[in-house]
Amino acid sequence: MLFLGADIGRTTRFALVDETGRLHQQSRVPTDIRSGRAFVNGLIAAFREAIEKASAPVGAAGIGLPGLVDHHTQQIEVLTNFLNISAIDLHGECERALGIPVIFDNDANLAAFAEWQCGAAQGATDAVLITLGRGIGCGLILKGELQRGARGFAGEFGHTKIGNEPIECSCGASGCLETVVSGPNIVRRTRELLFLDPRFTHSTLVSKMRIKLTCEDVVDAAKFGDELARTVLEDTARSLGIAISNIINLLNVEKVVLGGPVMGAGDFLLASIREEVARNAFAPLLVRCSIVTGTLGNDAGMIGAGLLAKRELEQAPPK
Amino acid sequence: MVGKTIRQYRIQEAIGKGGMGAVYKALDTQLNRVVVLKLLSRELLGHEKARSRFLREARLASALDHPNICTIYEIQESEGFYYIAMQFVEGQTLKQAINKRPLANSTILSISLQFADALAMAHDRGIIHRDIKPQNIMLTPRGQVKVLDFGLAKSVDESTAHLHADLTEHGKTLGTPSYMSPEQARSERIDRRADIFSFGTVLYEMVTGRKAFAGDNNVDIMYAVCNLEPKAVAELNPNLLPGIQEILTKALAKDPAQRYQNMHELLADLKEVSSGSVQMTVPDGIHQPYAEVKRAPRNWFNQFIPSFLRKKKSGSSSISGLDAGGLTDLSQTQAQRRGKPGERTPDFSLHDDFPLIPGQHKTLAVLPFRNLASQMDDAWRVSFLEALIAEMTKFKALTIRPSSAVLQYFDDPRNATEIGRDLGVDAILLGSLLGTETRLRAVVQMIDISSGSILWAGKIDAEESDSLRLQDALCKGLLEHFKGKKEGNAALDLLKDESPDVRIDAILALKTSNDLTALNELADALKDPILEVKSAAAEVLGYHGKNATTAVLAALDESLGKRQFQTARFGVRAAGIIGSTEFVPVLLDALTCEDGFVASEAALALGKIRDLRACPDLIDALQHKDANVRFAAVQALGNLADPQAVSALETRLRDDSDEGIQAKALWAINRIRRKPFGTSTMTAIHTSTNLK
């Protein structure tokens, strides 16, 4: 049996996931955000086609969203950049159209689930996955269970407060971790730093900065030792390290898994984060705690969605 | 005992006998210096109380570290002797100096100020002398006071008082009758006010040449101490300084409650007397020299003038042909120090304010110079330090830490501001040495401790035939720099140095310069080929604020006209930091510059100046093909917080391909929405006037 696993972002990536977490028939379609209706119709069409072409029966579908999903009601509470979605019963329509059980969850939860089931957090009973991309996602595995909180909103790590920077967050508050370490804010800070320090006029990023700069550009430049890029990412590592220390101090996790495009910067970023954690976390809690990068990469969302769908199907009461 | 050696001390001669034992002059053969050795007499050795008292004296005195208190070197037992080794003070006792004649007013003031300061410190440490008398006060040839013999000193520390009580034997009179306080004479419990009374008796004797309380025997003397008032000083010294009588009256009050309650009060009154209404610092040989020990001139004629013919007001010189003494004495002494006219040209720059160091009190520590790449050994460096300190003390506006305070920082790796805080100074002078034994360069900085910034930086080169001359040349060179020779400000000279680091240091040193020339030179530094130097120049020009507007405007006009975009870029940056609306027209021009960095900096500067007139141009700049310019324009519009920009920013948020610009646009929109128009501090000029 196979399970549909989908990861919705600017692009919707989806695949059929087998019971070991391997991906089959990977596909991607641009996410239609013109309206809620266009969005739903686009999803259904793409998934239906995938199910029809599957080499084995598809038992259930898991769909990860960059927003807040009430786990019990399966209602989408917040979905940034996706307008007019609240009026649509996304869960109901998908189940009816696809003819299989569908489970929605936060994309970071699903990535955490995947890393726990078959990735970097395998074997741990208490772990946290943090994804660093356009936003900051976080999934919590505690006592061998994916933790969602009272309504499924647990893990909004990106909105924990890191300082008093006056940069306003999409959530409406200021000082959020996301305003410092998310992809767009890494680019923002890179642009700001260019004007603050004349040294950086010689950065390899300058020509790109005239046209368009992405977080991946900064990450790549840092890998090759560019001073501007490294400075920005070292600052990023400092803020992340402090925030991660808070998680370790609070939850006594044994694994912190870091994923997302920002982690593409490589070992130097991970080393800086570890250093900052060592400075700030309560030492006894660090004894059996390791900070690692995820092993499933950008596929973690799809894998987690598929495997979660499998689990939900297995655990569902017989009809 | 003479000729005998106790440990490293070889006894040379007997110099007196104290209550506890003999006092000798001895040679410390280890350090090759003369010391005073006080030995506890053999007869008292077996007495536990006597030994305890002897040791207690030394312990108490050794806790006092003051330039006017005799230093205790050590307390030891050796070969059956208990001894105290202390500083040997060359000179004469105050008793010898007075010799039954009043001292000169300058001398009285100098001695009493030093003595009062020492006693105040001892009292602050909880120690009472209890045997103050002119014999216990030494005067060095330079006029420095050294208080001796805290032998009967008592600690007023309540926690240990009970340990001392049985030693002092309440009920037994201790001290010297002519100088003891009434409560001492009555063998009552005493405190620091007993010392104040004794101080008064010594002051009286300095002023009049006579003891305040005298008698044929100790009983008569103690009676006088307890019951009689001393003769009015004006009758004995017609040159009395105004205010001295009042000080004596209060210090010699029979009732301790009517006296000065602490030495600080007395010291304050003495300072008042010494300089009229201006506070004078205690002479310490560093920033306020000691006065020569002089007696008052003999006023023979005055002695024979009937009282009704003498001027009642003290201190006036009413009779021609006679020395006035008093204040004239003081000024003569100062003139003597300066040198007679014609012999020495006064160097008034040494008496001016020292503007490099901000603040009123201007304390400075000179740290031992580091050996960066020179062949000078440690001894030379110590000697150079001391010579430099001596030179710097010539600046009257400065209080310099003595070498004893700074030598501990020899080659200390800590940073200057930390050391400066340790020493409690406003500024540190430090440097490094490069060169050979005959050719040296000293690279020097003066650091402001509170801010950590460089107040001054410079280098001095010297080439001499030997190392001592080298020392002199370097010291002289530094002194000349600080005296501000007309040849030029050292920092300005260094703006053209071949090293970018030196140029940057020189620029930073010009932060505190008020010289118009400096501003023009800083604006010129914007043309420097090194970006870091340009950036430093922009920052320091910004620091000078509106004073630098003219210089920066001129630099901008020139650089934009000549298409010197790197210079223009940092000129624009300086304009933004200065923040004057005078820059708006030139910045609007720069916003359309073909060089993306200039245009970006112009946008940022307009955002800092917050003149709403720039808003339409900044909105236009949101369409710029250069993403840097768009980003800067978003930043500026966020700073301006003009609601008319919201729509354009929302378009940017939606359409811009750069996620950094999107993030910034989100910030700017939220900022504008949070801040209602008109409530910010920016200029609320919003017209359609074309400024170009």
Side-chain angles (χ1 to χ4, degrees):
Chain A
M1 185 172 282
L2 296 171
F3 304 90
L4 181 77
D7 187 7
I8 297 174
R10 283 184 166 182
T11 307
T12 296
R13 299 176 67 224
F14 57 97
L16 296 173
V17 184
D18 67 27
E19 297 190 13
T20 65
R22 236 165 3 147
L23 297 175
H24 307 271
Q25 281 177 237
Q26 284 194 57
S27 291
R28 60 168 61 201
V29 295
T31 306
D32 194 337
I33 57 168
R34 287 172 298 163
S35 67
R37 175 51 48 200
F39 168 64
V40 173
N41 291 347
L43 281 186
I44 289 171
F47 295 160
R48 193 183 270 156
E49 189 182 335
I51 291 166
E52 283 164 7
K53 287 180 179 170
S55 56
V58 177
I63 303 172
L65 295 166
L68 300 180
V69 181
D70 186 323
H71 181 66
H72 300 296
T73 65
Q74 287 289 290
Q75 286 303 301
I76 317 299
E77 297 288 338
V78 175
L79 194 59
T80 320
N81 296 327
F82 290 77
L83 305 173
N84 300 321
I85 198 75
S86 55
I88 300 171
D89 177 15
L90 185 59
H91 179 257
E93 287 203 28
C94 283
E95 277 201 337
R96 282 191 294 276
L98 300 177
I100 52 175
V102 173
I103 178 155
F104 284 94
D105 208 331
N106 173 267
D107 52 2
N109 284 348
L110 295 175
F113 190 74
E115 292 282 357
W116 178 46
Q117 291 290 295
C118 55
Q122 249 188 320
T125 53
D126 296 80
V128 60
L129 169 85
I130 298 165
T131 56
L132 305 163
R134 276 192 67 82
I136 308 297
C138 174
L140 294 166
I141 310 292
L142 298 174
K143 288 274 179 267
E145 281 295 328
L146 180 65
Q147 299 296 326
R148 295 188 176 88
R151 288 180 62 197
F153 303 158
E156 285 302 323
F157 182 56
H159 300 290
T160 54
K161 303 297 171 271
I162 193 66
N164 294 320
E165 266 217 53
I167 303 293
E168 271 201 23
C169 182
S170 54
C171 70
S174 57
C176 293
L177 180 66
E178 200 162 282
T179 62
V180 179
V181 307
S182 68
N185 282 292
I186 285 174
V187 175
R188 171 186 63 79
R189 284 165 43 228
T190 307
R191 287 193 173 282
E192 285 168 0
L193 204 56
L194 179 67
F195 291 103
L196 286 175
D197 194 324
R199 284 182 294 154
F200 299 138
T201 311
H202 306 296
S203 168
T204 56
L205 291 170
V206 165
S207 51
K208 281 202 162 121
M209 285 171 88
R210 288 199 174 103
I211 303 159
K212 177 183 164 182
L213 190 69
T214 64
C215 179
E216 286 75 12
D217 293 329
V218 179
V219 164
D220 282 342
K223 260 199 313 223
F224 291 103
D226 181 84
E227 210 184 333
L228 170 58
R230 287 229 160 181
T231 304
V232 172
L233 291 185
E234 273 163 7
D235 281 345
T236 305
R238 256 190 294 277
S239 300
L240 266 174
I242 291 170
I244 290 170
S245 305
N246 289 339
I247 290 183
I248 293 169
N249 288 344
L250 186 65
L251 297 175
N252 184 208
V253 293
E254 55 194 311
K255 267 271 175 20
V256 177
V257 180
L258 300 171
V262 175
M263 293 312 297
D267 292 340
F268 104 88
L269 181 60
L270 188 61
S272 301
I273 293 169
R274 283 177 178 150
E275 224 177 85
E276 199 61 35
V277 169
R279 258 197 286 272
N280 290 283
F282 190 31
L285 301 181
L286 289 176
V287 173
R288 282 204 189 84
C289 176
S290 52
I291 301 171
V292 298
T293 49
T295 53
L296 303 177
N298 288 340
D299 295 340
M302 286 186 291
I303 296 169
L307 290 178
L308 188 69
K310 169 180 176 288
R311 197 179 79 157
E312 290 294 308
L313 187 68
E314 287 164 357
Q315 288 177 356
K319 285 183 181 165
Chain B
M1 286 296 291
V2 175
K4 188 175 172 58
T5 300
I6 301 172
R7 288 170 71 95
Q8 74 264 39
Y9 303 109
R10 188 163 66 243
I11 295 175
Q12 293 178 323
E13 65 178 270
I15 53 176
K17 200 166 169 56
M20 302 292 284
V23 183
Y24 297 96
K25 182 177 167 185
L27 176 70
D28 179 341
T29 56
Q30 271 185 11
L31 295 175
N32 198 30
R33 64 178 174 187
V34 176
V35 303
V36 166
L37 221 56
K38 251 192 187 179
L39 302 187
L40 182 63
S41 70
R42 281 185 179 278
E43 294 77 11
L44 296 175
L45 260 180
H47 289 252
E48 176 60 29
K49 271 191 185 179
R51 265 204 316 278
S52 301
R53 190 168 136 188
F54 184 85
L55 292 171
R56 189 195 56 180
E57 174 203 334
R59 215 173 291 129
L60 285 169
S62 68
L64 300 172
D65 181 17
H66 189 281
N68 300 120
I69 296 178
C70 184
T71 307
I72 302 288
Y73 296 134
E74 66 170 332
I75 310 149
Q76 279 289 359
E77 184 206 352
S78 175
E79 301 165 20
F81 290 99
Y82 272 94
Y83 67 86
I84 302 169
M86 60 180 75
Q87 181 183 10
F88 174 76
V89 181
E90 199 140 28
Q92 58 180 335
T93 66
L94 181 57
K95 190 74 180 176
Q96 290 164 331
I98 293 171
N99 197 18
K100 296 185 181 147
R101 271 181 55 201
L103 295 175
N105 285 333
S106 59
T107 306
I108 292 169
L109 288 171
S110 178
I111 292 170
S112 52
L113 283 168
Q114 292 177 65
F115 185 27
D117 195 54
L119 266 187
M121 193 275 262
H123 288 175
D124 287 346
R125 299 279 189 282
I127 295 168
I128 316 171
H129 191 289
R130 299 205 302 166
D131 193 22
I132 290 172
K133 55 189 177 186
Q135 294 89 320
N136 276 343
I137 299 165
M138 286 294 294
L139 303 172
T140 70
R142 286 175 66 214
Q144 185 181 4
V145 164
K146 288 282 188 184
V147 181
L148 308 177
D149 204 358
F150 273 80
L152 299 175
K154 176 181 182 237
S155 167
V156 295
D157 181 356
E158 290 305 317
S159 62
T160 55
H162 66 283
L163 296 173
H164 306 307
D166 57 335
L167 292 178
T168 53
E169 294 179 304
H170 184 62
K172 192 168 180 174
T173 304
L174 297 166
T176 309
S178 295
Y179 306 99
M180 61 171 55
S181 63
E183 56 272 26
Q184 269 177 298
R186 289 190 293 264
S187 302
E188 291 169 358
R189 201 168 196 82
I190 63 162
D191 57 29
R192 67 187 71 181
R193 292 173 297 184
D195 272 356
I196 291 173
F197 187 96
S198 303
F199 180 96
T201 64
V202 172
L203 179 60
Y204 186 96
E205 199 164 324
M206 285 198 284
V207 170
T208 63
R210 300 183 188 190
K211 289 180 185 175
F213 304 101
D216 293 333
N217 50 56
N218 282 350
V219 172
D220 285 348
I221 294 169
M222 287 201 280
Y223 178 83
V225 164
C226 295
N227 301 293
L228 303 179
E229 294 300 325
K231 199 165 187 162
V233 289
E235 291 179 34
L236 300 170
N237 186 344
N239 301 317
L240 187 68
L241 277 168
I244 289 288
Q245 179 62 69
E246 288 78 6
I247 291 175
L248 284 168
T249 302
K250 198 167 177 185
L252 294 174
K254 305 299 184 196
D255 180 3
Q258 302 303 316
R259 271 174 232 157
Y260 288 102
Q261 296 303 293
N262 58 68
M263 280 307 299
H264 293 287
E265 290 176 11
L266 195 157
L267 186 56
D269 277 358
L270 275 173
K271 287 179 185 176
E272 188 88 346
V273 166
S274 68
S275 55
S277 60
V278 177
Q279 280 281 347
M280 204 172 107
T281 46
V282 173
D284 61 2
I286 297 172
H287 54 272
Q288 181 60 37
Y290 309 121
E292 256 183 280
V293 177
K294 288 164 60 175
R295 292 209 188 89
R298 285 191 187 276
N299 201 345
W300 294 113
F301 189 77
N302 227 18
Q303 286 179 313
F304 298 106
I305 295 174
S307 59
F308 64 87
L309 285 180
R310 284 185 213 151
K311 285 279 183 183
K312 286 220 175 350
K313 198 171 178 180
S314 59
S316 60
S317 57
S318 56
I319 301 164
S320 62
L322 294 173
D323 290 335
L327 293 171
T328 310
D329 238 14
L330 202 60
S331 61
Q332 277 178 350
T333 310
Q334 286 176 344
Q336 281 168 347
R337 280 198 298 276
R338 286 187 183 179
K340 291 179 187 163
E343 273 185 8
R344 215 181 122 192
T345 309
D347 194 336
F348 294 106
S349 61
L350 295 173
H351 295 270
D352 292 344
D353 188 23
F354 198 85
L356 268 180
I357 299 177
Q360 212 181 345
H361 299 290
K362 302 179 194 283
T363 49
L364 175 75
V366 183
L367 294 187
F369 279 30
R370 285 184 309 137
N371 234 348
L372 205 58
S374 85
Q375 296 173 18
M376 312 322 278
D377 60 20
D378 289 356
W380 188 93
R381 287 199 286 149
V382 170
S383 167
F384 175 57
L385 171 73
E386 291 183 336
L388 190 50
I389 289 174
E391 288 297 311
M392 293 304 290
T393 58
K394 290 178 180 173
F395 289 99
K396 300 305 174 199
L398 290 182
T399 302
I400 313 282
R401 290 288 180 263
S403 55
S404 55
V406 296
L407 275 171
Q408 61 182 303
Y409 298 106
F410 203 88
D411 287 337
D412 191 312
R414 287 181 294 160
N415 70 49
T417 43
E418 210 182 314
I419 294 174
R421 273 185 227 114
D422 267 358
L423 288 165
V425 292
D426 297 316
I428 285 269
L429 187 71
L430 70 166
S432 47
L433 300 166
L434 307 92
T436 65
E437 280 186 8
T438 54
R439 189 161 182 266
L440 262 192
R441 166 172 291 186
V443 183
V444 187
Q445 289 180 347
M446 188 178 286
I447 312 280
D448 176 29
I449 297 306
S450 61
S451 66
S453 61
I454 299 174
L455 297 171
W456 179 87
K459 62 177 181 184
I460 295 94
D461 290 319
E463 188 168 358
E464 295 290 344
S465 54
D466 68 57
S467 60
L468 285 179
R469 281 192 218 276
L470 209 50
Q471 217 174 75
D472 290 342
L474 287 174
C475 287
K476 188 180 171 197
L478 262 174
L479 196 71
E480 290 302 311
H481 273 296
F482 290 128
K483 277 159 69 178
K485 281 168 61 173
K486 295 224 171 91
E487 284 80 336
N489 185 316
L492 286 178
D493 293 339
L494 290 172
L495 285 177
K496 305 288 182 222
D497 195 275
E498 65 264 17
S499 160
D501 288 336
V502 173
R503 297 203 295 276
I504 289 172
D505 281 347
I507 287 169
L508 295 174
L510 289 172
K511 251 188 190 176
T512 52
S513 173
N514 294 323
D515 184 359
L516 183 63
T517 316
L519 293 175
N520 291 331
E521 294 292 325
L522 280 170
D524 217 47
L526 292 171
K527 296 179 193 163
D528 197 288
I530 305 295
L531 287 183
E532 285 84 347
V533 178
K534 286 166 139 46
S535 180
E539 292 295 324
V540 174
L541 281 163
Y543 183 85
H544 280 281
K546 292 200 162 67
N547 291 335
T549 300
T550 306
V552 172
L553 272 173
L556 268 176
D557 281 338
E558 185 190 346
S559 56
L560 285 169
K562 290 182 179 175
R563 298 164 60 79
Q564 292 165 344
F565 294 135
Q566 290 276 34
T567 301
R569 180 184 162 191
F570 288 95
V572 166
R573 181 177 290 196
I577 300 170
I578 292 169
S580 166
T581 53
E582 284 183 64
F583 289 111
V584 170
V586 71
L587 290 174
L588 289 174
D589 269 342
L591 190 56
T592 59
C593 181
E594 66 199 75
D595 182 272
F597 274 117
V598 173
S600 304
E601 292 276 5
L604 292 173
L606 286 165
K608 285 176 188 163
I609 292 172
R610 296 192 179 185
D611 189 322
L612 285 179
R613 289 176 292 174
C615 198
D617 293 74
L618 287 168
I619 290 173
D620 285 344
L622 290 176
Q623 308 295 326
H624 205 285
K625 62 179 192 301
D626 189 324
N628 288 329
V629 179
R630 296 200 305 275
F631 183 84
V634 169
Q635 164 95 49
L637 287 167
N639 286 344
L640 262 67
D642 187 346
Q644 72 172 330
V646 169
S647 166
L649 286 167
E650 283 173 338
T651 306
R652 235 358 62 214
L653 178 61
R654 188 185 64 232
D655 296 342
D656 204 298
S657 56
D658 186 282
E659 51 190 3
I661 293 174
Q662 289 176 351
K664 199 75 191 183
L666 181 63
W667 163 81
I669 292 165
N670 285 329
R671 189 167 192 280
I672 294 169
R673 284 184 175 147
R674 228 184 24 246
K675 221 173 178 73
F677 179 64
T679 61
S680 69
T681 55
M682 57 188 157
T683 30
I685 300 170
H686 185 54
T687 67
S688 56
T689 307
N690 188 348
L691 294 170
K692 294 186 187 179

